[in-house]
Amino acid sequence: MLPFESIEEASMSLGRNLTFGETLWFNYTADKSDFYLYCHNTIFLIIFYSLVPLPMVMIELLRSKKFEIYKLQPKTTLTLSEMMECYRKVLMTFVFAVGPLQLFSYPIIEWVGIRTSLPLPSASEVFWQLVVYFVVEDYANYWLHRMLHHYKWGYDKIHSVHHEYVAPISFAAPYAHWAEIIILGLASFLGPLLVPCHMFTFLLWFVLRQIEAIETHSGYEFPWSPSKYIPFYGGAIYHDYHHFVGESCHSNFASVFTYCDYIYGTDKGYRYQKEAFEKRREKLRMEEKVNGSAPLFKSE
């Protein structure tokens, strides 16, 4: 809840007029508690999880030759009912795992100083904090994820649920055992705990992280994706290999970038397979031009 009763009072306190964004923030948050604003995190996760994968669902159902060549494992297909079943199970996890996590984590968020007051952070502050959060989360997630594969009990009892999808789909990005949601969720919270931010940045961070996870689980590697321009970004092809190999995979543990796997030597198998994969894809593209149809190929 903001400490100002009016926009004029807020402007006087800041010594300037509110920006358009600050005016919107004031009008929406002035009479709402900090805990209520914090709970928007779960609401936004459900909304974006429900909407962002829809284009990929349509592409998957249409099976257009135009997109087929970008599908990483085109011999694996799912029906609409199968995808909706995945969606239903994830929503149940959000309600029974993410919801309680929100409830019990709020005192920590309050303690580290995630603020809701004005002024809003500058664009540069938001950008650099997000960069820190992605790097910190990626490093922590690498070791937690690797641990779930290293210990057989952790894989069999927890992580194997996520690997039920050998060929990932967008709706399967957060599809996991409730314990894994909590374990890997710690990596997502670590950045804001180390570098506290404004609630706006906090909410934006989790939305972007969700969108990124949806992309890497999409099962498609599009050459026009803006994420292609992010340094050291793994993308869908990087994580698809991890799912394709499954339990025996000792490669590609990082969630976003490739530097951890490179530094710790857990990308050697992937690098070899990717080279073979790209050569085969180029061959299939040439065949498509000759034959006028999109051939099927499989990640190897």
Side-chain angles (χ1 to χ4, degrees):
M1 184 175 295
L2 298 178
F4 311 115
E5 295 184 358
S6 66
I7 292 179
E8 291 73 18
E9 185 179 339
S11 298
M12 290 181 59
S13 178
L14 296 177
R16 59 172 175 79
N17 292 329
L18 301 187
T19 65
F20 177 72
E22 288 172 335
T23 301
L24 290 178
W25 182 263
F26 179 90
N27 289 333
Y28 182 73
T29 65
D31 59 346
K32 296 176 177 64
S33 68
D34 290 355
F35 177 71
Y36 181 82
L37 296 175
Y38 177 62
C39 289
H40 280 55
N41 192 28
T42 302
I43 298 172
F44 288 158
L45 287 179
I46 293 175
I47 291 174
F48 280 88
Y49 169 70
S50 300
L51 297 179
V52 174
L54 292 182
M56 304 308 303
V57 171
M58 294 300 298
I59 290 174
E60 183 71 16
L61 294 175
L62 292 174
R63 306 294 295 180
S64 169
K65 294 180 179 180
K66 186 180 301 183
F67 296 108
E68 196 72 8
I69 196 168
Y70 302 116
K71 186 169 172 59
L72 296 167
Q73 298 187 53
K75 291 184 178 180
T76 302
T77 60
L78 292 176
T79 64
L80 179 61
S81 62
E82 289 173 326
M83 288 187 279
M84 289 298 99
E85 178 63 13
C86 174
Y87 174 77
R88 184 190 68 81
K89 289 181 178 179
V90 169
L91 286 187
M92 294 292 287
T93 305
F94 279 160
V95 172
F96 293 106
V98 177
L101 182 62
Q102 290 278 311
L103 179 64
F104 292 112
S105 62
Y106 176 70
I108 300 175
I109 294 300
E110 191 175 33
W111 175 70
V112 299
I114 302 295
R115 65 183 183 90
T116 61
S117 60
L118 295 176
L120 289 179
S122 65
S124 61
E125 180 181 346
V126 172
F127 174 79
W128 288 113
Q129 285 179 333
L130 290 174
V131 169
V132 170
Y133 297 167
F134 270 107
V135 172
V136 169
E137 192 275 345
D138 188 68
Y139 188 83
N141 187 286
Y142 171 87
W143 288 107
L144 292 171
H145 186 188
R146 187 173 176 178
M147 177 188 69
L148 289 173
H149 274 268
H150 180 76
Y151 295 102
K152 182 173 176 56
W153 185 92
Y155 185 89
D156 291 344
K157 301 297 184 181
I158 299 176
H159 193 49
S160 61
V161 175
H162 184 64
H163 275 273
E164 289 176 11
Y165 288 89
V166 178
I169 59 172
S170 295
F171 275 140
Y175 179 84
H177 192 283
W178 64 267
E180 179 171 342
I181 295 293
I182 295 175
I183 292 171
L184 297 185
L186 295 175
S188 299
F189 275 98
L190 190 56
L193 293 181
L194 294 174
V195 184
C197 60
H198 193 277
M199 184 64 72
F200 170 81
T201 310
F202 182 86
L203 297 175
L204 179 61
W205 152 240
F206 278 93
V207 167
L208 292 177
R209 180 64 184 90
Q210 177 82 320
I211 293 174
E212 186 279 328
I214 289 171
E215 181 189 23
T216 57
H217 287 82
S218 68
Y220 288 81
E221 182 78 356
F222 296 122
W224 56 78
S225 174
S227 60
K228 290 281 188 180
Y229 300 99
I230 301 175
F232 308 109
Y233 184 71
I237 189 173
Y238 194 77
H239 196 66
D240 191 275
Y241 172 79
H242 179 82
H243 274 261
F244 180 74
V245 178
E247 179 181 3
S248 60
C249 185
H250 300 289
S251 182
N252 298 23
F253 296 113
S255 58
V256 181
F257 304 111
T258 60
Y259 70 93
C260 278
D261 284 297
Y262 177 79
I263 292 173
Y264 299 110
T266 50
D267 68 340
K268 295 178 181 178
Y270 165 74
R271 279 189 284 165
Y272 172 80
Q273 294 291 350
K274 183 183 179 184
E275 184 177 351
F277 175 82
E278 292 295 349
K279 288 181 179 178
R280 188 178 183 188
R281 169 180 278 188
E282 187 60 32
K283 179 181 178 181
L284 292 170
R285 281 175 177 162
M286 296 302 296
E287 291 178 359
E288 179 195 12
K289 291 180 180 179
V290 174
N291 300 327
S293 62
L296 297 180
F297 62 93
K298 187 176 182 181
S299 297
E300 297 179 327

